[in-house]
């Protein structure tokens, strides 16, 4: 099997969806009682049949998370470098057809943003750009990494998928983690939401984590944009992808995120709504399925939701986020990728975490320990 796509093509979306919705209480109870859970168990845990078992799922999730990660939450913050993008995506403020002012940060502007982020206390930064190979390319990323590497213990990237050789060029510059969200595993809907640009190539995108694994990336992040398609089915395929990657690229670490479709300039209404209760169910299902995976929650979610999710399985959380290039100080009015929901400062979030007897950790790991 050369890539995940080979495995993925053996599955049928409609049949997989039907099998999830066919799960019953017996399947759920079997999954809850298991000591090591399978993909079939995961289907049961995200199925409608599992809804009445949410409290029990939450208790198990909390216990498993405490055992593996303790009472700590890693704090991270995004640094948006550019809103240049050559793709048309129906759900994104950076979409090529959204006629707005574009901006890519210069080295001086990047350091102005870094200064603000460091003042917040952060040692872990997530670099984010639109997907544009003209203005934000491998050489640009090399310069950025070289510039900011002395200032952070951990650097993550959420940028356009690249070739294996590109990732291999970036790792010596201090790149630790790469996040690449499939958006949806429904191929027909994927084409509908990505009609133009390199991102329209489903196969190239779905095989990106394979290239990351071959490049020896320390950690990779997966996820779908919840709201584009049936979330239960999309998240099963995310679990399938994670399971495949862990077996093939066992030396890498993995994280999962749960971005729900949020408003942006020109907005797209979700095809499928996901309630807060269902998001809790999903988070717990992932934890019961995989005790090792890191689970991340962003400022897309409301303050109340984030306050209440701290003990249920999450291991990393963002705070004080700006989703536009230069949003911290350089160009606060530039185009946002999406609207955030939780606008509290990192210090406020740290106090909320402390009030629940957990500790906010401001960095992931030091490269000297790798």
């Amino acid at each position: 099997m050369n890539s995940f796509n080979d495995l993925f093509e053996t599955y049928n979306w409609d049949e997989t969806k039907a099998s999830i919705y066919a799960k019953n209480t017996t399947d759920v109870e079997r999954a809850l009682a298991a000591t090591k859970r399978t993909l079939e168990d995961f289907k049961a845990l995200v199925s409608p049949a599992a809804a009445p078992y949410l409290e029990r799922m939450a208790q198990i999730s909390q216990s498993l998370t405490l055992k593996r990660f303790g009472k700590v939450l890693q704090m991270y913050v995004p640094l948006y470098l550019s809103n240049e993008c050559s793709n048309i995506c129906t759900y994104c403020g950076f979409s090529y057809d959204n006629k707005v002012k574009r901006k890519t940060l210069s080295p001086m502007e990047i350091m102005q943003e870094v200064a603000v982020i460091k003042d917040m206390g952060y040692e872990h930064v997530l670099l984010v750009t639109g997907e544009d190979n003209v203005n934000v390319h491998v050489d640009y990323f090399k310069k950025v990494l070289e510039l900011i590497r002395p200032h952070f213990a951990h650097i993550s990237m959420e940028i356009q998928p690249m070739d294996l050789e590109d990732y291999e060029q970036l790792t010596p510059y201090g790149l630790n983690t790469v996040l690449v969200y499939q958006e949806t595993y429904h191929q027909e809907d994927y084409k509908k939401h990505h009609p133009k640009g390199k991102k329209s190539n489903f196969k190239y995108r779905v095989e990106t984590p394979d290239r990351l694994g071959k490049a020896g990336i320390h950690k990779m992040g997966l996820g779908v944009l919840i709201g584009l398609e049936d979330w239960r089915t999309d998240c099963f395929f995310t679990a399938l992808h994670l399971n495949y990657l862990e077996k093939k690229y066992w030396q890498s670490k993995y994280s999962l995120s749960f971005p729900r479709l949020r408003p942006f300039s020109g907005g797209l209404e979700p095809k499928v709504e996901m309630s807060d209760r269902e998001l809790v169910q999903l988070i717990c299902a992932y934890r019961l399925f995989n005790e090792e995976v890191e689970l991340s929650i962003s400022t897309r979610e409301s303050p109340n939701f984030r306050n209440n999710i701290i003990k249920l399985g999450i291991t990393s959380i963002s705070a004080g986020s700006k989703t536009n290039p230069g949003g911290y100080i350089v160009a606060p009015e530039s185009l946002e990728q999406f609207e955030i929901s939780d606008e509290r400062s990192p210090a406020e979030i740290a106090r909320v975490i402390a009030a629940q007897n957990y500790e906010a950790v401001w960095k992931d790991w030091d490269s000297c320990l790798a």
Side-chain angles (χ1 to χ4, degrees):
M1 191 171 293
N2 294 321
S3 74
F4 173 71
N5 193 61
D6 296 331
L7 173 62
F8 177 74
E9 288 184 344
T10 67
Y11 282 78
N12 176 277
W13 176 280
D14 292 333
E15 291 175 0
T16 301
K17 180 178 178 180
S19 70
I20 294 170
Y21 282 83
K23 295 296 184 183
N24 56 40
T25 55
T26 300
D27 298 316
V28 176
E29 290 173 359
R30 184 185 300 114
L32 289 171
T35 53
K36 184 173 177 59
R37 297 174 180 90
T38 65
L39 284 161
E40 286 301 311
D41 291 328
F42 182 80
K43 286 182 181 179
L45 294 171
V46 295
S47 73
Y53 295 85
L54 185 56
E55 184 174 347
R56 187 172 165 193
M57 287 176 64
Q59 290 170 348
I60 298 173
S61 180
Q62 181 182 15
S63 175
L64 292 174
T65 307
L66 282 171
K67 182 177 74 172
R68 169 61 182 83
F69 296 95
K71 290 188 170 186
V72 297
L73 261 76
Q74 180 198 340
M75 302 283 290
Y76 74 94
V77 69
L79 168 53
Y80 277 71
L81 301 172
S82 174
N83 60 15
E84 304 273 359
C85 194
S86 58
N87 296 316
I88 292 180
C89 301
T90 61
Y91 49 80
C92 182
F94 292 174
S95 182
Y96 177 79
D97 59 348
N98 198 356
K99 303 303 179 185
V100 294
K101 185 177 180 181
R102 303 289 172 167
K103 183 172 183 61
T104 298
L105 298 185
S106 68
M108 182 182 294
E109 290 172 330
I110 290 170
M111 291 313 297
Q112 287 179 274
E113 295 286 288
V114 166
V116 176
I117 289 171
K118 292 290 291 184
D119 282 345
M120 294 179 187
Y122 282 108
E123 293 290 338
H124 178 186
V125 66
L126 169 63
L127 304 178
V128 187
T129 69
E131 299 193 9
D132 178 69
N133 291 313
V134 176
N135 297 288
V136 282
H137 41 64
V138 175
D139 288 338
Y140 176 78
F141 294 132
K142 285 181 182 178
K143 292 175 183 176
V144 172
L145 289 169
E146 193 170 35
L147 186 66
I148 72 169
R149 185 179 185 181
H151 303 279
F152 294 101
H154 188 98
I155 303 173
S156 304
M157 272 189 166
E158 186 181 338
I159 58 175
Q160 68 266 28
M162 296 188 292
D163 295 340
L164 171 60
E165 296 77 14
D166 296 327
Y167 291 126
E168 289 174 334
Q169 287 184 59
L170 292 179
T171 51
Y173 286 82
L175 176 61
N176 305 129
T177 300
V178 176
L179 312 182
V180 55
Y181 302 138
Q182 187 57 35
E183 315 300 9
T184 179
Y185 288 87
H186 191 293
Q187 290 197 64
E188 288 72 27
D189 269 22
Y190 184 92
K191 293 174 185 175
K192 181 177 71 176
H193 290 296
H194 309 98
K196 176 181 170 58
K198 192 173 181 179
K199 194 170 180 177
S200 62
N201 188 334
F202 179 92
K203 185 174 184 288
Y204 184 79
R205 192 170 188 90
V206 85
E207 289 180 339
T208 303
D210 279 284
R211 297 192 295 278
L212 292 170
K214 291 173 183 175
I217 291 294
H218 173 72
K219 182 165 63 181
M220 56 185 101
L222 307 176
V224 293
L225 183 55
I226 295 169
L228 292 184
E229 247 300 334
D230 179 77
W231 66 265
R232 303 175 202 274
T233 312
D234 251 340
C235 292
F236 166 78
F237 282 112
T238 307
L240 178 71
H241 206 164
L242 171 67
N243 198 51
Y244 159 87
L245 291 167
E246 282 195 326
K247 290 177 180 177
K248 189 164 185 178
Y249 308 106
W250 54 270
Q251 291 176 306
S252 293
K253 293 172 64 179
Y254 297 89
S255 69
L256 295 175
S257 298
F258 316 91
R260 285 194 282 189
L261 193 59
R262 292 283 302 162
F264 76 94
S265 174
L268 172 75
E269 290 298 319
K271 178 179 178 180
V272 179
E273 293 281 356
M274 178 195 237
S275 68
D276 286 356
R277 185 177 176 86
E278 287 171 336
L279 181 50
V280 173
Q281 179 184 348
L282 176 62
I283 290 169
C284 294
Y286 274 130
R287 175 57 67 222
L288 269 62
F289 174 65
N290 189 309
E291 298 180 22
E292 297 292 322
V293 70
E294 298 177 20
L295 303 179
S296 177
I297 202 78
S298 76
T299 52
R300 286 176 182 261
E301 301 301 331
S302 70
N304 185 59
F305 182 85
R306 280 162 41 102
N307 290 352
N308 288 298
I309 202 67
I310 287 171
K311 294 183 177 182
L312 299 186
I314 292 298
T315 60
S316 64
I317 188 168
S318 58
S321 303
K322 302 297 182 183
T323 66
N324 50 321
Y328 296 102
I329 193 169
V330 172
E333 301 304 318
S334 65
L335 173 71
E336 292 182 320
Q337 187 179 29
F338 59 86
E339 294 178 14
I340 66 172
S341 183
D342 190 347
E343 298 184 355
R344 291 174 295 178
S345 70
E348 288 177 281
I349 298 298
R351 286 194 291 270
V352 169
I353 293 169
Q356 299 192 39
N357 295 317
Y358 277 61
E359 180 184 357
V361 176
W362 297 89
K363 65 180 180 179
D364 186 357
W365 65 293
D366 281 312
S367 57
C368 64
L369 302 177

